[in-house]
Amino acid sequence: MPDRFDLPAGFRWGAATAAYQIEGAVDEDGRGPSVWDTFAARPGAVRGGHTGAVACDHYHRYPEDIALMKGLGLDGYRFSVSWPRVLPTGAGAVNPAGLAFYDRLVDALLEAGITPLPTLFHWDLPQGLEDRGGWLNRDTAYRFADYATVVADRLGDRVPAWITLNEPFVHTVYGYALGTHAPGRTLMFEALPAAHHQLLGHGLAASLLHDRGLEAMLSNNLTPVEPASSDPADLAAAAAYDALHNRLFTDPVLLGRYPDLSALGVPDDIFGAVRPGDLDLIHTPGLDGLGLNFYNPTRVAAPTEPGLPFDLVDIPDVPHTAFGWPVVPEALTQLLINLRELYGKALPPVTITENGCSVAEETVPDQPRIDFMAAHLDALARAAAEGIDIRGYYTWSLLDNFEWAEGLFSQRFGLVHVDFATQVRTPKASYAWYRDLIAAHRKRFAGQGVG
Ligand code: FCB
């Protein structure tokens, strides 16, 4: 059994955020509207009627936030670039003021000794593209590549590694299938062309990043799927869910093919979206790193009613976060082992690009978050001891922020508390804990030239 935090030398410690969740300033300096501005304005769409209009006001307060990151001793900071800030209608003319914000952010991070890790798409599609079908329109993949070109050409001299997409599963299923996230479409499985077009956009962007000597990663929300029993009907339901949640977003990128989606009633060409050559475009560029966002495993049973080919059921007898998500850290070790078994040599190095938890009604003492992170880092160290190449851990999140459909106050994920009325930032107990952990890890490898 390895030591609690027996992670390798050179392991990178980070924190993650996303543009719409923290920036605010939605009408400033020429930013165009995104699907999240439109969705949040719909009555009843977001808890409390909250929006990201101000959020953490990071657009203005980024120097203070970078000082907080520096205080943690972070190696890296994962943030997302807001597409409608750079290209207000999604295509066409570049907004120089929008691009200049990320230029300043990158310079300030580098000055603080922190490596920027930008995500190009974390769900805030320009409304102008949504008006033309959003990710259901194949053209959006090509507009994404154009946008990626603009941003990489501006920042690529200082930013070595990039994440193309954040969690295409969650964006497709919540945004296009169930309608609980922007853009609020309720297409059920007919949403899946939106997944294919995002993956196509990923492939096009990965290839243009490589042309510029830059690394490309994809951040997937993956979950180990546990069948509720060994009954064949539960096993079949679990396999169907695994194909939808995990394999649909990883097989094409790592193996160049889609999993069998027939149990979902989805044809091989995903309702005509997959054209000849697409899988090559998705697969051939390769992935320099798999970004893994891990929150919880999922238990699946055979459906009790007609409709979906699976039922998601609770995992009893384990703690649950304020969000109601089961806390099962060993599932992270299992997930990494499963990935290696499934993909073998095709599995690139893994970076945890999100992991963390919301804690109810917290301010500063947030012991449950410390316990959550410690247990997951333990689980990660176990996977590393099994020989899995894990390069870093970016906790979600630096700041309490706009938690999508849950709004501003109910699900706080930050190491730093944000008072949304005053914008006062207060580091929580987990902030000091993470800072000390990073310092101890670095100290252990001091003198070896890494760590
Ligand atoms: C992930 C999202 C991230 C945040 C966390 C809690 O699915 O990528 O933006 O909302 O969940």
Side-chain angles (χ1 to χ4, degrees):
M1 194 68 56
D3 286 348
R4 169 161 266 206
F5 301 123
D6 195 5
L7 289 157
F11 189 81
R12 300 188 66 75
W13 298 99
T17 64
Y20 190 73
Q21 295 182 274
I22 64 166
E23 284 181 1
V26 292
D27 292 325
E28 278 182 58
D29 295 339
R31 177 189 179 277
S34 80
V35 291
W36 267 96
D37 299 288
T38 311
F39 184 75
R42 252 194 220 177
V46 174
R47 185 188 291 267
H50 298 158
T51 74
V54 178
C56 305
D57 194 30
H58 172 79
Y59 188 74
H60 300 113
R61 293 170 197 263
Y62 72 91
E64 182 183 352
D65 295 336
I66 292 175
L68 286 162
M69 296 175 213
K70 194 172 177 185
L72 278 169
L74 296 187
D75 295 301
Y77 171 52
R78 176 180 176 225
F79 61 96
S80 79
V81 177
S82 158
W83 186 346
R85 227 182 252 300
V86 174
L87 291 157
T89 60
V94 173
N95 172 31
L99 208 44
F101 170 68
Y102 297 104
D103 212 46
R104 294 195 295 278
L105 181 69
V106 161
D107 283 344
L109 286 165
L110 292 173
E111 201 166 310
I114 298 165
T115 305
L117 177 60
T119 304
L120 286 163
F121 180 69
H122 199 128
W123 306 349
D124 47 352
L125 192 77
Q127 183 61 39
L129 293 182
E130 177 57 23
D131 295 342
R132 287 148 57 183
W135 286 109
L136 295 166
N137 181 349
R138 181 180 176 90
D139 184 60
T140 297
Y142 293 91
R143 303 288 72 77
F144 179 66
D146 291 348
Y147 152 66
T149 303
V150 168
V151 183
D153 281 346
R154 180 64 174 262
L155 305 178
D157 58 336
R158 285 153 288 158
V159 175
W162 298 70
I163 295 169
T164 55
L165 308 173
N166 180 68
E167 300 186 355
F169 166 79
V170 175
H171 190 53
T172 303
V173 169
Y174 288 28
Y176 287 87
L178 302 174
T180 51
H181 278 187
R185 315 272 298 242
T186 50
L187 297 166
M188 301 311 284
F189 290 127
E190 288 183 22
L192 293 190
H196 178 65
H197 296 145
Q198 285 176 80
L199 290 168
L200 182 60
H202 158 80
L204 297 169
S207 152
L208 68 89
L209 289 166
H210 286 164
D211 290 346
R212 288 161 177 74
L214 306 171
E215 290 191 1
M217 295 168 60
L218 167 68
S219 282
N220 273 339
N221 174 310
L222 299 181
T223 184
V225 177
E226 313 173 352
S229 78
S230 55
D231 185 294
D234 287 342
L235 295 177
Y241 188 75
D242 186 43
L244 175 67
H245 191 129
N246 298 313
R247 300 193 56 174
L248 174 58
F249 297 92
T250 315
D251 284 14
V253 179
L254 299 183
L255 305 177
R257 57 174 184 259
Y258 276 112
D260 178 3
L261 299 170
S262 56
L264 310 172
V266 176
D268 287 348
D269 67 353
I270 312 194
F271 305 111
V274 184
R275 297 196 188 161
D278 281 4
L279 281 156
D280 283 343
L281 291 171
I282 294 170
H283 171 60
T284 307
L287 213 55
D288 302 294
L290 178 65
L292 177 54
N293 294 357
F294 179 74
Y295 290 95
N296 55 265
T298 305
R299 187 169 291 185
V300 174
T304 48
E305 287 173 15
L308 294 175
F310 47 73
D311 264 1
L312 305 188
V313 296
D314 188 32
I315 302 181
D317 308 323
V318 298
H320 286 68
T321 70
F323 228 131
W325 298 347
V327 180
V328 190
E330 55 277 18
L332 174 57
T333 316
Q334 191 57 52
L335 174 61
L336 288 158
I337 289 171
N338 293 349
L339 284 170
R340 187 175 54 186
E341 273 171 14
L342 191 58
Y343 297 113
K345 286 195 177 16
L347 181 69
V350 175
T351 293
I352 304 300
T353 44
E354 287 184 26
N355 176 247
C357 67
S358 59
V359 177
E361 294 177 30
E362 63 176 275
T363 50
V364 170
D366 60 341
Q367 190 61 39
R369 174 168 297 105
I370 296 174
D371 296 345
F372 184 98
M373 289 172 70
H376 285 81
L377 286 165
D378 242 348
L380 209 54
R382 286 202 178 87
E386 295 283 331
I388 296 172
D389 186 355
I390 302 160
R391 299 281 172 94
Y393 177 89
Y394 289 71
T395 193
W396 184 272
S397 181
L398 178 72
L399 304 168
D400 290 343
N401 58 47
F402 175 81
E403 179 42 44
W404 309 115
E406 297 297 319
L408 285 167
F409 304 113
S410 65
Q411 301 298 338
R412 292 176 174 273
F413 278 88
L415 301 188
V416 175
H417 178 269
V418 175
D419 179 326
F420 293 107
T422 62
Q423 292 298 340
V424 169
R425 275 91 163 123
T426 310
K428 304 179 192 176
S430 57
Y431 177 96
W433 177 85
Y434 196 44
R435 176 196 64 207
D436 294 350
L437 159 68
I438 294 170
H441 184 263
R442 218 166 260 152
K443 197 167 157 208
R444 180 144 65 96
F445 295 104
Q448 295 181 20
V450 282

